[in-house]
Amino acid sequence: MAELWRPSEHEPLAGAEWSEEAAEQAIAAIVADAEAAFDGERWPFHPADGEDDASNGLYLGVAGMAWALHELGSTGWGDAVLGALERYLREPDGGEQWAYAPSYLFGECGITLVAYRLTEDAGLADRLEELVLANLEEEWRELCWGAAGSLLAAEAMLGWTGEQRWEAAWNALADEFEAACDADGLWTQHRLGDVRYLGVAHGFAGNVRALANRRPVDVDDVLARHALRDGALANWPSLPGADPEQLRVQWCHGAAGIVAVLGHVMDEELALAGGELTWRAGPLAKGSSLCHGTAGNGYAFLALHRRTGDELWRDRARAFAMHAIGRVEREREKLGRGRYSFFTGDLGVALFLHHLLDGDHRFPTLGPFA
């Protein structure tokens, strides 16, 4: 079965039996560590996240940390996000190559959304509307930078404010976005070199999830056509026809993410096959985070528990959660501190634990927000 995933990217499942008390203690420890590590402007950058670029955005930076802390009940982060927004406007994250203000996960759009959420400043809402509508004519056509992310931002504002301008913005974006879809159901993402990804971060699954929060979608033909099958198992390449050596089982690319975000609308048998593969592949050796870690993969099991009601999937999510707790603790002991980012760090694990405890299944930042 190993041809559907790369065993070198995974590690054996380890960890204690599920314990609500252990999960609550882990959440408290992660939050306390993050609160203590803030220096008044930002958090220390983790060496595994590449070169330190003083990130301010949702994915790696201050805005994402504030979003996650807010969701976990930690308060008082509005000024921190406003400071991050000021720094972004002076010097955008990512440099000239990747700086794009309407980006949801990396740009001004995501930072402004969090700043509004924490301050309810009307001027921020007006600027956010400009950023959202800027993606009407852009060609990123994916979640991180493109129209799918703008759909999520508009949906969040509609849910939080009830203002009809966000309904109008969402519908205008959705109409243009659906029209930009290729005849075979995929989107061509021009800004990264005319590519057509299948996964969540840059491709089909993320695009359809943003639409599915508020409109009916049909994903079965595309997912069945591109699935790699072996009996009761299924995975998806990052790109149609990609080299098997590039297969991933992560939130950003592969079965785990596709099931995590589309498990409620896709063919149930195919969703179960993707979930089974995610379980058999095991926790990710890369770490415990959301984007390419064990917690992110665990959301596939939460989606299947919601879809089927089968407690097997909740138990598997719990097993991944306990593994992730142990990995966070070992990494913190090794480095002497935590990993401070939303999508690649410890707070993503804390949110996964929080959702296990309260019965939520929604992957963070993807809604529905109503």
Side-chain angles (χ1 to χ4, degrees):
M1 311 307 176
E3 66 270 13
L4 294 188
W5 73 87
R6 297 190 295 171
S8 63
E9 297 212 335
H10 299 266
E11 60 188 15
L13 183 67
E17 292 293 319
W18 168 252
S19 161
E20 289 191 2
E21 181 180 4
E24 290 169 351
Q25 290 173 349
I27 293 169
I30 290 169
V31 169
D33 179 51
E35 291 173 336
F38 184 65
D39 69 4
E41 288 192 355
R42 54 172 296 196
W43 279 268
F45 208 70
H46 195 280
D49 287 323
E51 185 177 349
D52 186 350
D53 66 352
S55 179
N56 299 294
L58 262 179
Y59 184 88
L60 281 180
V62 172
M65 290 290 291
W67 178 310
L69 285 166
H70 177 78
E71 290 291 308
L72 292 165
S74 180
T75 60
W77 298 104
D79 287 344
V81 182
L82 290 174
L85 181 57
E86 291 177 3
R87 289 190 297 276
Y88 181 90
L89 294 175
R90 289 197 305 266
E91 186 175 356
D93 297 356
E96 184 177 341
Q97 181 181 6
W98 299 112
Y100 180 56
S103 169
Y104 181 56
L105 291 186
F106 296 104
E108 183 186 347
C109 179
I111 305 170
T112 304
L113 179 68
V114 180
Y116 174 81
R117 178 65 163 162
L118 300 183
T119 68
E120 297 187 355
D121 181 274
L124 292 172
D126 292 342
R127 174 56 179 162
L128 185 61
E129 185 179 18
E130 295 175 1
L131 293 166
V132 164
L133 293 176
N135 262 324
L136 277 170
E137 299 179 0
E138 287 296 331
E139 295 185 320
W140 285 97
R141 294 177 182 165
E142 45 99 276
L143 172 66
C144 294
W145 281 278
S150 291
L151 284 170
L152 292 169
E155 182 200 339
M157 290 298 290
L158 178 61
W160 297 340
T161 70
E163 294 178 6
Q164 290 308 297
R165 61 172 164 165
W166 300 109
E167 175 92 33
W170 195 94
N171 284 325
L173 275 165
D175 290 345
E176 290 292 328
F177 198 41
E178 289 184 317
C181 186
D182 297 336
D184 63 356
L186 299 178
W187 280 264
T188 300
Q189 212 277 50
H190 295 294
R191 291 293 191 95
L192 291 178
D194 293 344
V195 292
R196 305 200 305 162
Y197 285 104
L198 290 166
V200 182
H202 303 295
F204 171 81
N207 292 346
V208 177
R209 172 54 187 264
L211 291 166
N213 285 349
R214 304 194 72 243
R215 284 187 180 178
V217 296
D218 184 356
V219 302
D220 290 339
D221 177 66
V222 170
L223 293 181
R225 188 173 354 119
H226 295 287
L228 305 176
R229 299 296 304 264
D230 189 334
L233 306 178
N235 198 5
W236 287 265
S238 57
L239 296 161
D243 188 327
E245 288 300 311
Q246 297 178 5
L247 280 174
R248 299 286 189 273
V249 187
Q250 301 175 173
W251 172 80
C252 46
H253 297 290
I258 286 174
V259 175
V261 306
L262 297 179
H264 62 303
V265 294
M266 63 191 288
D267 173 78
E268 184 171 312
E269 187 274 331
L270 196 55
L272 291 169
E276 187 64 32
L277 179 130
T278 302
W279 172 252
R280 293 197 197 180
L284 278 158
K286 290 180 179 179
S288 52
S289 65
L290 293 178
C291 185
H292 34 264
T294 298
N297 284 16
Y299 276 96
F301 306 146
L302 292 186
L304 291 172
H305 180 241
R306 176 204 179 193
R307 175 74 179 264
T308 67
D310 190 339
E311 298 299 320
L312 168 71
W313 296 108
R314 185 197 61 185
D315 292 343
R316 288 178 169 183
R318 288 173 168 178
F320 268 39
M322 297 305 291
H323 182 99
I325 288 172
R327 182 69 183 266
V328 166
E329 291 173 346
R330 291 191 298 274
E331 292 295 325
R332 187 189 301 133
E333 182 177 348
K334 183 189 306 181
L335 191 63
R337 62 173 177 83
R339 188 170 179 176
Y340 309 116
S341 66
F342 193 175
F343 272 76
T344 67
D346 300 345
L347 278 175
V349 177
L351 273 175
F352 176 52
L353 297 171
H354 179 67
H355 287 166
L356 265 173
L357 291 170
D358 71 7
D360 202 344
H361 62 274
R362 295 172 297 172
F363 192 91
T365 74
L366 298 192
F369 295 97

